Amino acid sequence: MFTLLRLSLKQRQSEVMLYRTLGATKQRISRTLWSEYGLLAVVAGLVATIGAEALVYNLMQWGFKLVPSLHVSLWATLPIIALLIVLGSLHSLFKQLLKPL
């Protein structure tokens, strides 16, 4: 996700300029960017959780012949951790996108 954002930085800057031309405020553009990447991070965390649960389920059932169980704490923490990592690492990039022209 970080690589795709870095590669599309020029396109993002063009989009931000277009939004400003059409009258969007800096706060509106900032909220749009944060919500877009925040939602993307939460979905990525949920997909990672599903993959981890499926892997552990199959490993416990077929590899160790144990009764599999659902890990509720993983469903709660992994999307939040993914969100914090993405928002923390993209903070400086968003400042660069929103700087005055």
Side-chain angles (χ1 to χ4, degrees):
M1 183 167 37
F2 302 125
T3 305
L4 290 175
L5 182 60
R6 294 271 181 208
L7 290 175
S8 67
L9 186 59
K10 292 293 183 191
Q11 182 182 1
R12 291 272 177 195
Q13 287 174 336
S14 298
E15 289 175 6
V16 168
M17 287 189 329
L18 177 64
Y19 293 151
R20 285 185 176 176
T21 302
L22 294 174
T25 63
K26 183 178 177 180
Q27 182 182 12
R28 175 75 169 200
I29 296 169
S30 177
R31 279 189 287 162
T32 302
L33 289 172
W34 284 113
S35 61
E36 177 184 351
Y37 284 100
L39 181 63
L40 189 61
V42 169
V43 169
L46 288 173
V47 169
T49 304
I50 291 169
E53 283 285 352
L55 183 67
V56 169
Y57 178 86
N58 286 320
L59 185 62
M60 287 183 70
Q61 184 176 10
W62 304 106
F64 297 117
K65 306 293 185 205
L66 297 172
V67 177
S69 63
L70 190 64
H71 302 91
V72 179
S73 62
L74 187 68
W75 286 88
T77 57
L78 198 56
I80 293 171
I81 291 171
L83 178 67
L84 293 175
I85 289 172
V86 167
L87 296 182
S89 61
L90 293 179
H91 184 69
S92 64
L93 188 61
F94 285 169
K95 279 187 176 180
Q96 182 182 357
L97 278 173
L98 296 173
K99 69 180 178 183
L101 301 174

